[in-house]
Amino acid sequence: MKMIILAIAVWVLTGLIAVLGVTAGATIWAYMEPVVDTAPMPVSYFAAASVGFLALLLSLGVSVGITVHAARCNASSKTF
């Protein structure tokens, strides 16, 4: 049962990372939209987006791994 709760928690965390990433992207776009063609995009925005996607990818990998592990533990504990 503890592994199932952990699996749910990591999926919630992955969803939270995705929501916060979209919110951060919208905030950056709101500040940059008025000056899209007048100023070059700072390199730090691309670095932040890359790190955000990497964090989401790593969190997704951990979520899948923990879910598979929880499913295996749950299946092995049931004996017929």
Side-chain angles (χ1 to χ4, degrees), residues 1-78:
M1 186 66 176
K2 291 179 185 177
M3 286 301 294
I4 294 172
I5 293 171
L6 180 63
I8 292 169
V10 296
W11 280 106
V12 167
L13 181 62
T14 300
L16 184 65
I17 289 172
V19 168
L20 291 176
V22 169
T23 304
T27 302
I28 290 171
W29 177 252
Y31 282 109
M32 288 302 296
E33 187 178 17
V35 293
V36 165
D37 292 329
T38 59
M41 288 285 283
V43 178
S44 60
Y45 290 162
F46 296 111
S50 300
V51 169
F53 282 123
L54 180 64
L56 183 60
L57 182 66
L58 290 173
S59 179
L60 185 64
V62 168
S63 297
V64 169
I66 289 178
T67 302
V68 168
H69 182 67
R72 285 184 181 171
C73 288
N74 195 18
S76 68
S77 68
K78 293 180 181 179

